[in-house]
Each structure stands twice: as structure tokens, then as C-alpha cells.
Amino acid sequence: MLRPIRGFVGARIILILIQCVFVLSAVEVAATVHHFTWEVGYMFWAPNCIENPVMAINGRFPGPTIRAKAGDIIHFDLTNKLSTEGVVIHWHGIRQIGTPWADGTASISQCAISPGETFPYRFVVDRPGTYFYHGHFGMQRSAGLYGSLIIDVADGLKEPFHYNGELNLLLSDWWHLSVHKQELGLSATPMRWINEPNSLLINGQGKSNCSIAAATCNFTELQQCAPEVLRVKPKQTYRLRIASTTALASLSVAVANHKLVVVEADGNYVEPFEVDDLYIHSGENYSVLIKTDQDPTKNYWISAGVVGRKNKTSQALTILNYESVHAGKLPDSRPPDTPLWNDTIRMRSFVEQLRGLNNSPLPPPAGAHRHIVLLNTQNLYRGQTKWALNNVSLSLPATPYLGSIRYSLIDAFDANVPLESFPNDYDIMAPAANPNCTVSSGVYWLQINSTVDVILQNANTMSANTSEIHPWHLHGHDFWVLGYGDGKFVDGVGDKNFNLKDPPLRNTAVTFPYGWTALRFVADNPGVWAFHCHIKPHLHMGMGVVFALGVERVQGIPGQALACGLTAKLFMNTKF
Ligand SMILES: O=C1O[C@H]([C@@H](O)CO)C(O)=C1O
């Protein structure tokens, strides 16, 4: 008779214990919520010692560095204090799983925030890594709207490598020509190109005469442009987090006398490999480890120089300062030389060394449901210079896609679906016989959870014997980089060499002149996502496409994201 009662009591005790464990673990895993109140406005600032208007966040350029742990929730209330421009901020590398409306892409995920208004960005940073944030409206990134976003591993977890300290390098390029003049010039007929940057900046600072006459470069003065000194202790391992938010420049980064061991690319761990210098293109992020094992009575140059385009800009320099040495003591050797700007073979061999770390997720091996080939060409549209994919140059609509697709407002954008390939006889090695393209806001519709292969096919520009580098960035997803090739991609040949064994996962990958790059991703994040060249003027000239998938599943779009164009009309009488 007692047995069932004992059993019942025992079960109750076990239940209470389970509940306790559950409550405890719930407390342990409860995500931290970080609240940030940000104001974006212009200020006068002299990033390269010459004063210009700069976009700042809470009066700071670059914007504040955000630091959180994987799994944390971030709340940004972003108030637009620009008197006459809209603004948005994109959290580059954060996939926005379940929150596509927080991706911060004007005309795609949300309406630009009007002057005086506040937008609530709320999202989870689900994965550790080195990221950054930046403006994604017009040319605002080039005006200085950016900062670092660093996500540490969740409590109780460890990185797969060891280091004693961290240094942060946020790289950018800087023009004296105002972004408004840049933007107007790019849309003018004929186009006025922005030309090469006046300076390269490390953490927003780029004293311009350092590399010309290094001996005159004072590293200890308090100037807005004085390079930030990076102080280290000898005989330690440091993690350098390097992110490039350049508008145009591809860069080579080196630390004199020190080897770099690459361990992370775009928030994904890679099989470590050692290099003398690191190639980094716009939109890319890396972590490298360095050992401070050199003569501790000296300082060493850290340099970033332009590659990929004919170099007309001085290197950005700063100092790796061994702590017992005066920060102002200049290194007694020259800064590392930037590799030849057009050594594509060396540049490609760098990215080909990137391999996913053991146990990284692998691409579905069975092949893709969808195979999209995107030929990128430089074109003309009514005399304006454009960039196009399969002869279509992207023009963003007045009503952001996420809202218009979610609420079936099909008149909000071009119903024509863009092409999935280009004519077989197109000669990628020469300027197009007919340079004219069309302009469209059409989208690529992807089946939710389908596997998509994209071949990025590079080609000649409108000038003979010229083909340029383009770093392509995907929003909302990472992709596997399956391979690179020269010339035209041939179906059944190029794919024979796809790396399905250990391809790196990332969100930005480069196409080399006259070559192709093959990517695979699983379209599993409902939303509308941009996929575009991260070179700011190129996106402005139409070099991007838009992917839409599973939008009917999207929940919780804040009213402010819909308060423009046709969605505003639809909700005119609705209380948000
Ligand atoms: O889009 C571009 O335009 C110029 C040049 O092709 C025409 O001036 C250039 O270098 C680009 O990258």
C-alpha cells in the first residue's frame, strides 16, 4: 500500500529537483539585454588632420565599439539628428535570425529613419566573432557612419585558440570630397568618378604625412588624426581583430617583424594558417594572432596599404608599442612594403588558404536546388555609368521590400524577375559590344530552406583590358566559398573542383579580375536580403541583387519600418 505513495512522493521530489535545475539553468542562460541610446549627427572632425564634416554617433567618430556575448540581446534606440537626411544602421555579419526588419538596409528591410525620429533595433547576437556596423543608405558609410561590433563567446565556452590580449583595427578610407559631391558625381551624366581615397584610416585616424616622412610623425600628440598606439607586453599572444569598412580600397595589412596567424573570418573559425601580411577587402573581417616575441626594446610598424587598384594613397600606419619602450619612439626599420597592387595570384592564394575549422558546418553535398550565375558588367543607362548583373542594374524602390512583400503590395517594385544567367557567347574578356543595360527593382524569389549556388562571374569593364575586384556581401546568411577560377565559369567543369570538404563559411567573398567565385548557401532565414558589391560607389551604381524568401513567416515588423511608401498608405489608419 505504501509503495505508490512513496513513489508519488519520490516523483514529486524529482519533479521539484528538475524544476529547481530548470530554474537555475534558466537563470544561468538568461540572455543579457544591452540597451543603447544613440544619436546620429554631423560634426566637424579631422580624421586625416584636415577638418571636414563627419557622421558621428553620440559625438564620436568612429562610433562606439559595441561588445556583447553570444546569445545576448541588443536594443539600440537610434535617433536621427541629421537635419535633412534619413538614416539607417546595418549590423554587418549579424544574420538577424527572426528579425529581418532590424537588418538596417534602407528600401530593403525598413524605411529610412526621418530626422528627429527614433528607430528601435532589437536583435540577438547569436554567434561570437568580429563584426562592425555601418550606415546603409546612400553614401553615408563613406561619411564615417561606422564602428566595431565584437561578440565574445558565451559564458562557459572557449574559443578554439588561446590569446592573452586583444587589439582592434577598424580600417576605412577617407576622401576630402564630400559624400554629397561623391553621390552627385556618381549619378551625373557623364559620371564623375570619386577617384582614389585621400587617406586610409586605422580606427578613424590617419595622419596623412606619416609614410612620406615617417620621422615627422608624432604618435603621442593629442590630435584627432594622430595614430592610436597599440600597446603590448612582450612574450604574449594577441588577437588582432581586423575589420574593413572601406568604401573602395582593398588593403594589405602587416605588422613588421611579426607573423600573422589567421584564425577567424567573418565570425567563423578557420583552420589556422600563417602569413606575413593579410589581404582584406571591403566588408571582410578577420582575427589574426600575433606573438610579441621580437626585441622588446623596439617599436614596430603596423601598416595598411592599397592593393587591387593602382595605388595612389599613402599607407596608414600605426605603432605596435612594446610596453617598456616610449610610445613615441619610431621603429628603426621601414614600414612593411605593400605587395604589388596587381598581384592577383598572390591575393587569390591568400583566400584559397582559408578552410573551415574542423567540425565547421559543411555545405549540403547533394548540390543545389538553384543555380544562379551573375555576370557583373559596367554599363550605361541613358548615358549614366552603371554596374549590372545579367544586364540589370539594381534601383531600389520607394517602399522597402520587406513590408511590400509581407503585405502583398506587388505594385511597389518591378514584377519582372531578373535573369539567372547570361548569353553563352558573351565575351568576358572585352568591353560589351552594346554597353547599355536596363534598370530594375525586381527580386530573386528563393524557396525557403533551399540550397542556392551563386556563381559570381567577373568581366571586362567599359574600358579595354580592365577588370576590377569586387567583394560581394550577403545579408541574413553566411555562404560557403566553394572555389575560385579564371575566365568564364563552365558548367560541369568549374564545379568539378568545388571544395565540399572544408570550405570556409563567410558573408563576404571577393571576385578577382576576369575570374569567377562560387558560393553556396541554404536560404533558411525568412526575409528580404541584399546581396551586393561592398564597394560603396558600385552599390550606388546598381551592383547588387535582392533575395526574398519565406516573407509570409516574418513577424513583428515595427511600425516605423513601414512608415513610408505604399505600406504607410496601407497603415495610414492603423494605430501602431
Ligand atoms: O565604377 C568605376 O568607375 C571607374 C572607372 O571605371 C570609370 O571612371 C572605376 O575605377 C570604377 O570602379
Side-chain angles (χ1 to χ4, degrees):
M1 282 294 284
L2 281 176
R3 273 184 168 216
I5 294 172
R6 254 207 256 132
F8 176 74
V9 171
R12 285 283 312 231
I13 291 169
I14 289 169
L15 190 67
I16 288 166
L17 280 175
I18 289 173
Q19 279 170 341
C20 287
V21 169
F22 180 76
V23 169
L24 277 178
S25 58
V27 169
E28 265 169 29
V29 297
T32 307
V33 183
H34 302 263
H35 293 271
F36 298 95
T37 306
W38 278 5
E39 292 184 351
V40 177
Y42 280 106
M43 66 176 184
F44 287 112
W45 198 253
N48 62 349
C49 305
I50 296 170
E51 195 176 78
N52 264 300
V54 168
M55 254 186 201
I57 295 173
N58 293 352
R60 289 170 63 178
F61 165 76
T65 295
I66 298 302
R67 196 132 203 166
K69 288 202 171 93
D72 287 355
I73 297 167
I74 311 266
H75 284 191
F76 284 102
D77 286 319
L78 188 78
T79 301
N80 180 357
K81 291 279 185 182
L82 306 164
S83 38
T84 57
E85 292 170 56
V87 75
V88 292
I89 290 191
H90 168 56
W91 318 93
H92 184 110
I94 305 300
R95 288 163 298 171
Q96 300 293 355
I97 297 165
T99 50
W101 48 266
D103 194 39
T105 43
S107 292
I108 300 174
S109 61
Q110 69 169 104
C111 300
I113 310 162
S114 296
E117 294 199 328
T118 301
F119 188 83
Y121 289 104
R122 308 234 177 307
F123 54 89
V124 177
V125 286
D126 60 312
R127 189 182 48 174
T130 306
Y131 309 101
F132 62 104
Y133 59 84
H134 61 79
H136 212 296
F137 188 31
M139 300 285 286
Q140 288 179 344
R141 191 177 93 226
S142 309
L145 187 51
Y146 46 73
S148 297
L149 173 56
I150 295 171
I151 309 301
D152 292 303
V153 285
D155 283 338
L157 295 179
K158 281 202 175 131
E159 306 272 9
F161 42 83
H162 167 78
Y163 53 98
N164 312 99
E166 265 190 49
L167 304 167
N168 192 33
L169 301 180
L170 179 63
L171 308 173
S172 56
D173 43 10
W174 190 252
W175 278 255
H176 296 151
L177 190 69
S178 77
V179 285
H180 299 106
K181 279 191 179 163
Q182 292 183 32
E183 189 166 347
L184 190 60
L186 292 170
S187 322
T189 314
M191 186 259 280
R192 298 188 199 177
W193 179 239
I194 62 166
N195 296 317
E196 299 303 309
N198 294 94
S199 296
L200 300 176
L201 311 180
I202 300 178
N203 296 337
Q205 290 155 305
K207 188 164 179 168
S208 49
N209 61 357
C210 275
S211 57
I212 300 161
T216 68
C217 201
N218 187 345
F219 281 81
T220 45
E221 64 201 337
L222 281 178
Q223 272 192 41
Q224 292 165 1
C225 58
E228 185 184 320
V229 169
L230 301 173
R231 178 160 270 229
V232 290
K233 293 181 196 300
K235 301 222 172 330
Q236 304 282 304
T237 301
Y238 284 85
R239 177 182 191 165
L240 256 72
R241 294 182 181 267
I242 309 174
S244 174
T245 183
T246 55
L248 177 65
S250 294
L251 301 172
S252 162
V253 177
V255 183
N257 293 41
H258 296 72
K259 299 276 186 199
L260 313 175
V261 176
V262 183
V263 290
E264 181 216 341
D266 300 348
N268 293 288
Y269 298 123
V270 296
E271 204 59 60
F273 64 99
E274 189 179 87
V275 286
D276 289 320
D277 48 80
L278 171 102
Y279 288 107
I280 181 165
H281 306 272
S282 176
E284 293 185 331
N285 299 279
Y286 289 102
S287 283
V288 300
L289 301 180
I290 63 164
K291 281 208 166 72
T292 49
D293 55 2
Q294 296 300 300
D295 181 349
T297 63
K298 293 182 177 169
N299 287 333
Y300 300 89
W301 289 114
I302 298 178
S303 65
V306 174
V307 288
R309 300 179 66 94
K310 203 162 186 178
N311 190 351
K312 298 191 177 125
T313 313
S314 305
Q315 284 179 318
L317 293 175
T318 189
I319 276 186
L320 186 74
N321 167 225
Y322 277 59
E323 67 175 5
S324 56
V325 189
H326 186 264
K329 182 178 176 199
L330 291 181
D332 51 16
S333 53
R334 281 161 40 87
D337 285 330
T338 303
L340 277 182
W341 70 272
N342 54 357
D343 191 347
T344 310
I345 295 175
R346 191 171 185 274
M347 236 179 281
R348 185 170 141 187
S349 84
F350 172 78
V351 281
E352 284 184 330
Q353 286 182 73
L354 291 163
R355 304 280 153 159
L357 189 64
N358 218 356
N359 295 328
S360 299
L362 288 177
H369 303 104
R370 188 86 172 263
H371 183 77
I372 301 174
V373 185
L374 297 174
L375 169 72
N376 74 246
T377 50
Q378 196 185 33
N379 297 80
L380 289 177
Y381 177 73
R382 296 183 180 162
Q384 281 187 328
T385 305
K386 295 279 183 194
W387 288 92
L389 287 313
N390 298 341
N391 221 38
V392 176
S393 184
L394 179 66
S395 139
L396 292 171
T399 311
Y401 294 102
L402 186 65
S404 59
I405 297 174
R406 180 70 182 78
Y407 295 101
S408 308
L409 301 168
I410 50 165
D411 292 339
F413 54 93
D414 200 328
N416 291 323
V417 174
L419 297 174
E420 311 253 320
S421 63
F422 60 95
N424 255 337
D425 60 357
Y426 188 93
D427 181 3
I428 65 148
M429 302 305 288
N434 173 3
N436 293 322
C437 66
T438 56
V439 161
S440 166
S441 56
V443 303
Y444 287 88
W445 301 94
L446 304 182
Q447 186 70 41
I448 188 84
N449 296 326
S450 62
T451 303
V452 181
D453 278 3
V454 177
I455 311 294
L456 290 164
Q457 177 67 63
N458 211 342
N460 206 105
T461 64
M462 285 198 297
S463 320
N465 302 319
T466 315
S467 181
E468 298 184 358
I469 281 189
H470 302 284
W472 276 76
H473 172 59
L474 178 61
H475 291 233
H477 301 79
D478 284 345
F479 48 67
W480 290 274
V481 186
L482 301 184
Y484 302 86
D486 289 326
K488 207 190 270 189
F489 178 84
V490 181
D491 233 345
V493 179
D495 38 351
K496 286 265 176 337
N497 294 325
F498 279 177
N499 174 11
L500 301 174
K501 198 176 122 253
D502 54 6
L505 254 179
R506 46 189 330 188
N507 60 52
T508 306
V510 69
T511 54
F512 295 104
Y514 300 110
W516 54 262
T517 300
L519 315 173
R520 178 170 294 176
F521 68 100
V522 178
D524 57 1
N525 189 12
V528 185
W529 307 106
F531 178 48
H532 62 89
C533 176
H534 209 263
I535 291 179
K536 193 72 250 183
H538 288 179
L539 173 58
H540 203 68
M541 294 156 84
M543 199 172 194
V545 298
V546 171
F547 293 135
L549 51 131
V551 180
E552 67 288 351
R553 305 180 184 199
V554 173
Q555 302 290 335
I557 306 177
Q560 293 97 318
L562 305 166
C564 62
L566 296 183
T567 39
K569 283 197 186 138
L570 182 71
F571 291 108
M572 205 88 94
N573 297 320
T574 308
K575 276 208 168 134
F576 292 122

